[in-house]
Amino acid sequence: MGLRKVAVVGAGMTKFVRRAQETGRELAYEAAKMALDSCELTLDDVDAVALGTAPDAFDAVHMKGEYLSDGAGAWRKPFMRSYVGGGTGVFAPIQGWYHVASGLFDVCLVVCEEKMSSCQPHPQGAFLTIFDHTTERPLGPNLLWIFALEMNRYMQTYGLQKKDIALVSVKNKRNAADHPCALLGDPNITVEDVLNSEVLAWPVQRLDVSPVTDGAVAVVLAAENVAKRITDKPVWIKGVGWSLDTAYWTNRDLYYPKYVEYAARMAYEMAGIREPRKEIHVVEPYDPFDYKELHHLEGLLLADKGEAPRLTAEGVTARTGNMPVCPSGGLLGVGNPIAAAGLMKVAEIFWQLRGEAGKRQVPGKPITGLAQAWGDLMQVGTVIILGIGG
Amino acid sequence: MPREVAIIGVGYSGFRALTPEVSYKELMYEAAVKAYEDAGVDPRRDIESFVTVAEDFTEGTSIFDEYVPDQLGAVLKPVHTISGEGLHGFIAAYLQILTGAMDIVAVEAHSKASNILTPDEIMAFAMDPVYNRPLQVNPHFIAGLEMNRYLCETGTTREQCALVVAKNKHNALYNPLAAYGANIAIEDVLQSEIVSYPLSRLDMSPRADGAIVMVLAARERAEELSDIPIWIRGVGWCNDSFSLENRDWMNAIYAAKAGETAYRMAGIRTPWQELDFAEIDDTFSYKELQHMEALRLCRPGEAGMLTEDGATEIGGDFPVNPSGGSLGMGHLLDASGLARLLEVVLQLRGEAGQHQLPDVEAGLAFAWRGLPTTSGAAVILCN
């Protein structure tokens, strides 16, 4: 398409923890510093900063992007904060991509931060305010309830059992045991543990859900000519896509995330990918709930509708399988600081493609990977495809 | 050379102190329908991406972009929020077209300020929660401090600031979109109650409701669709330090740097000669003067005198805020920058009506995000 080529050249992340002692600005600073150090750049080399962070209600800071700006390295620099709810973590690097691909900037620092623990007693309270003020909020809905609806619909449509879905949680939490930044890695967890965990809103149980987390992640993007000077191993952004469905979620059939498919098709087209199941070698779909990983694999066209559970049961999505899914441990294992969790997935693909994922490294020298996030009212899909070579 | 991009459609609604008869969705819908009609596009068929501008706390809804796609005709399309000024959102749309991946992108920003019961308390929630918020200061204190410093350093007087108010409210009388047009005297401003000395109530722009949608297109599509494309010649945006303790209180560095970036892109060396007029943030009266100086539309300390000489009036050498600015049109929260830009578009199209400036070819819009930020954005347009 003749687009300017943009590469990821560095990445950094803080530990994902339940209750960080650092302020949000400090978390943003730590991740940004690590990302810049990883490619031996300093703030002087950064032309613009793109920031992602999800609801301001978590930390009760109005204009949270402005508050985080100097921590994220934006002092006296062009700075913007993008926002698509839970999809923000994968959108922020898309925002960084259009900054660099526009030709106006050579190096863009992308920072995502989230501090959910400030919200007491529990960030679910903040989520009450995402619902329509007239038609839904008076009912006092809870995020777990609507995801329970969606999970139930998914299970009903394809005749799935809870144990089919619990496998995802087990896989991801076991994968996370190898991630140095993970909050909930567990090498010994079993399907029974998930099935015996507390029921929150049937069919959602505690171990089906990712934890409340604090953390920050940053990546450095650079234009082609600059990227090749910075590193021998640039990881190219091959395609990006995003799509937002209607606000009237009660009018949608929740069994299938069409918006994820639209976002994926946009990204595949940009990347020139015709057969995603053959051409994508490692996948980080958004997994705040275990069924979402399955849902999203289908939306990404990486599994036939209703077939993702079978792929999981057969080990295809294991770290050593034919199509490793969430080798990082995902949100279920590493943690879910909303915006930072999405960018963690992009960073994971970056490390996997460079062969730098340590104990999490998938075999077979992958050359193309995909990260995806999801959010708003079960409504937005954000997709980014990374690749080496070419 | 960057791709050439033009504004091919604008639509707007509201611009009133109160809009109790419509919801924010209806405001947005009306603005969108008008903008698409103006551009001659069908949003479902032609527009490839949408940018919306919002902050959760002023909407009263978390993750506000949930409620955006339906009334914009953007369902199952690429849509994202910029939590920034309207001009930031505009620039985000522009960048997407510059990549070459998109040809037509729409941007939306709105204000339903009249729905906000406690706007000052919300503004206080933008203060640093660790260092500043516990002091429980009224955030307007920041504007008072900054204004005092500005007056002190430049020798600008409160009277000159009051003249800005009188000028802008007078201009607004000739702008049918403006909610706060009035004939007032300097004394009215000086005698209105002090909010935080030397800032008085009439030095502050009153809030208003409204929505603005603009459609941007790459050259090929713009020329095909529009008889009067308004070209984007330069953009720039910048943050200074958010922290009150570290910022430069005298100079609007964010404005200077945003302006320089836009001028460089547009190839402008002497802005006051090469531009014909400007629409500049005037959330507070002194801000118009401070921003004029930071944007090199005059020398430091001169803006007050120029205002006194009438240079910035509609008939003057360099009209500033012929629309009436935020003081005259009302402050539209983060849509304020798009309101400034809207006026630049209408002037360059020759559609400004009673307050049309003669023979204008190039104009500047500059926006500041308001208290307590140091965040600004500039856009230069030509016809």
Side-chain angles (χ1 to χ4, degrees):
Chain A
M1 291 180 70
L3 298 180
R4 194 176 192 221
K5 282 176 77 174
V6 181
V8 186
V9 296
M13 73 183 280
T14 68
K15 269 188 178 256
F16 282 8
V17 295
R18 175 65 185 83
R19 194 169 283 116
Q21 298 301 304
E22 295 86 350
T23 63
R25 278 160 126 181
E26 288 165 333
L27 288 172
Y29 167 81
E30 281 184 25
K33 175 89 165 62
M34 278 192 269
L36 289 170
D37 286 350
S38 79
C39 52
E40 297 178 351
L41 295 182
T42 69
L43 273 184
D44 290 342
D45 302 305
V46 172
D47 301 320
V49 178
L51 180 113
T53 184
D56 297 13
F58 284 156
D59 8 31
V61 176
H62 178 41
M63 303 205 275
K64 189 162 52 150
E66 301 294 335
Y67 165 63
L68 294 171
S69 62
D70 44 11
W75 181 69
R76 295 192 177 170
K77 290 188 192 296
F79 168 79
M80 273 192 222
R81 169 194 177 192
S82 61
Y83 189 19
V84 278
T88 302
V90 172
F91 192 80
I94 294 177
Q95 184 202 358
W97 166 81
Y98 69 61
H99 273 63
V100 178
S102 73
L104 299 189
F105 304 101
D106 284 336
V107 178
C108 181
L109 175 64
V110 179
V111 182
C112 283
E113 179 276 346
E114 209 73 66
K115 190 161 187 198
M116 300 172 77
S117 65
S118 323
C119 193
Q120 296 295 325
H122 194 282
Q124 279 298 338
F127 280 123
L128 287 176
T129 57
I130 75 167
F131 292 94
D132 186 282
H133 44 65
T134 305
T135 57
E136 290 161 3
R137 219 178 290 174
L139 304 171
N142 178 304
L143 269 194
L144 289 168
W145 298 0
I146 63 168
F147 298 137
L149 283 175
E150 189 179 64
M151 182 170 176
N152 206 31
R153 177 71 184 144
Y154 180 62
M155 288 168 63
Q156 283 281 325
T157 304
Y158 301 116
L160 300 170
Q161 307 273 318
K162 280 277 324 201
K163 63 178 168 43
D164 305 323
I165 291 176
L167 281 172
V168 173
S169 193
V170 170
K171 167 178 73 74
N172 290 2
K173 286 178 192 288
R174 286 187 179 188
N175 283 350
D178 295 325
H179 200 307
C181 298
L183 172 61
L184 278 189
D186 182 348
N188 304 313
I189 189 172
T190 64
V191 168
E192 285 65 43
D193 292 335
V194 181
L195 298 182
N196 293 331
S197 64
E198 179 189 355
V199 173
L200 302 177
W202 183 257
V204 174
Q205 291 173 268
R206 179 169 296 285
L207 292 181
D208 292 315
V209 190
S210 56
V212 170
T213 317
D214 296 348
V217 181
V219 299
V220 183
L221 306 186
E224 182 172 18
N225 54 328
V226 181
K228 287 182 172 166
R229 284 208 306 270
I230 295 172
T231 175
D232 296 334
K233 295 194 287 184
V235 174
W236 304 104
I237 296 179
K238 299 278 191 177
V240 299
W242 66 106
S243 179
L244 181 65
D245 206 342
T246 168
Y248 299 96
W249 62 274
T250 47
N251 297 357
R252 279 188 250 133
D253 193 330
L254 300 176
Y255 89 101
Y256 183 72
K258 196 189 279 179
Y259 44 91
V260 171
E261 182 186 326
Y262 279 46
R265 285 186 187 278
M266 177 176 167
Y268 291 145
E269 191 186 331
M270 193 181 288
I273 287 178
R274 293 187 179 178
E275 295 183 276
R277 292 177 206 186
K278 288 184 188 158
E279 296 175 64
I280 301 288
H281 307 129
V282 52
V283 197
E284 282 280 341
Y286 206 55
D287 62 327
F289 293 73
D290 44 12
Y291 79 96
K292 289 308 296 185
E293 174 171 312
L294 306 168
H295 216 216
H296 291 151
L297 284 174
E298 294 167 17
L300 292 166
L301 310 174
L302 295 171
D304 288 339
K305 286 184 179 180
E307 286 295 303
R310 187 180 55 78
L311 295 184
T312 309
E314 289 172 358
V316 174
T317 63
R319 191 183 280 153
T320 52
N322 273 339
M323 182 178 69
V325 176
C326 289
S328 66
L331 278 54
L332 288 163
V334 188
N336 184 11
I338 314 276
L343 194 56
M344 177 275 285
K345 288 182 169 289
V346 178
E348 179 71 10
I349 299 293
F350 170 75
W351 287 317
Q352 290 285 353
L353 298 183
R354 290 187 16 143
E356 294 173 354
K359 283 204 275 180
R360 309 185 309 285
Q361 185 64 47
V362 304
K365 294 193 168 51
I367 60 170
T368 308
L370 179 152
Q372 174 256 334
W374 155 91
D376 289 2
L377 279 170
M378 307 180 283
Q379 181 188 8
V380 71
T382 50
V383 175
I384 191 162
I385 297 169
L386 301 180
I388 50 174
Chain B
M1 272 301 287
R3 241 181 149 195
E4 293 215 61
V5 181
I7 299 170
I8 60 166
V10 293
Y12 41 87
S13 67
F15 299 137
R16 287 290 172 266
L18 294 167
T19 49
E21 72 285 5
V22 286
S23 71
Y24 71 85
K25 286 186 184 174
E26 290 161 312
L27 279 174
M28 287 165 73
Y29 177 77
E30 185 186 339
V33 168
K34 286 180 179 169
Y36 303 153
E37 177 64 18
D38 188 33
V41 296
D42 173 344
R44 307 295 304 149
R45 185 191 61 212
D46 302 315
I47 300 182
E48 291 153 298
S49 176
F50 299 79
V51 179
T52 176
V53 174
E55 281 286 358
D56 285 356
F57 282 19
T58 47
E59 306 292 349
T61 300
S62 285
I63 319 188
F64 178 76
D65 66 304
E66 293 167 356
Y67 298 101
V68 162
D70 300 275
Q71 62 272 25
L72 289 184
V75 170
L76 283 171
K77 291 267 203 168
V79 181
H80 77 84
T81 308
I82 287 291
S83 289
E85 222 292 325
L87 288 190
H88 287 121
F90 178 86
I91 293 167
Y94 174 59
L95 294 180
Q96 288 182 37
I97 297 178
L98 285 187
T99 65
M102 312 274 185
D103 285 333
I104 303 185
V105 180
V107 58
E108 181 277 340
H110 64 275
S111 156
K112 190 70 171 161
S114 66
N115 274 0
I116 305 174
L117 296 175
T118 54
D120 290 349
E121 283 78 358
I122 285 179
M123 200 195 291
F125 270 107
M127 310 275 286
D128 184 307
V130 179
Y131 294 112
N132 302 139
R133 211 190 290 166
L135 303 173
Q136 298 191 328
V137 294
N138 171 350
H140 287 117
F141 189 70
I142 298 166
L145 272 178
E146 191 184 54
M147 181 174 179
N148 205 28
R149 177 79 190 275
Y150 172 74
L151 297 187
C152 191
E153 294 278 340
T154 59
T156 307
T157 61
R158 278 193 70 204
E159 287 74 11
Q160 289 168 333
C161 294
L163 258 178
V164 171
V165 182
K167 166 180 74 78
N168 289 0
K169 284 192 184 292
H170 183 78
N171 289 352
L173 284 174
Y174 297 92
N175 181 357
L177 298 179
Y180 295 97
N183 260 322
I184 61 168
I186 295 179
E187 291 68 38
D188 296 325
V189 181
L190 297 179
Q191 285 163 18
S192 65
E193 64 268 33
I194 294 293
V195 176
S196 172
Y197 186 85
L199 189 76
S200 75
R201 185 173 54 80
L202 287 179
D203 282 310
M204 296 165 45
S205 52
R207 296 184 183 90
D209 296 351
I212 302 165
V213 173
M214 294 193 185
V215 182
L216 290 71
R219 173 179 276 280
E220 313 79 60
R221 296 306 307 277
E223 287 179 338
E224 194 180 295
L225 287 163
S226 176
D227 296 332
I228 36 168
I230 301 298
W231 301 99
I232 302 165
R233 292 295 185 222
V235 299
W237 67 108
C238 189
N239 272 52
D240 195 8
S241 171
F242 177 81
S243 141
L244 299 181
E245 296 80 0
N246 296 337
R247 67 176 57 172
D248 186 317
W249 285 82
M250 169 52 206
N251 298 299
I253 304 263
Y254 56 93
K257 290 186 79 96
E260 283 317 314
T261 311
Y263 295 146
R264 196 164 53 242
M265 199 169 161
I268 288 177
R269 284 158 185 269
T270 47
W272 69 87
Q273 285 174 341
E274 295 173 63
L275 296 168
D276 297 313
F277 68 106
E279 282 279 322
I280 295 178
D281 174 82
D282 60 336
T283 301
F284 306 110
S285 58
Y286 76 95
K287 277 286 181 191
E288 176 172 310
L289 305 174
Q290 185 198 32
H291 287 150
M292 279 176 65
E293 292 165 13
L295 292 163
R296 289 201 292 120
L297 298 172
C298 59
R299 278 190 278 274
E302 255 185 20
M305 283 180 280
L306 285 177
T307 307
E308 232 168 39
D309 295 344
T312 59
E313 287 170 13
I314 283 182
D317 284 347
F318 193 91
V320 175
N321 288 325
S323 68
S326 290
L327 288 163
M329 288 183 74
H331 193 265
L332 295 162
L333 306 179
D334 279 328
S336 298
L338 280 194
R340 303 283 68 75
L341 194 66
L342 171 66
E343 173 71 9
V344 177
V345 172
L346 295 179
Q347 289 285 356
L348 293 175
R349 282 180 172 187
E351 293 176 359
Q354 269 191 296
H355 64 296
Q356 179 67 48
L357 305 168
D359 307 322
V360 282
E361 289 172 358
L364 164 76
F366 175 78
W368 167 58
R369 285 209 72 192
L371 293 175
T373 79
T374 50
S375 171
V379 174
I380 296 167
L381 301 180
C382 292
N383 54 13

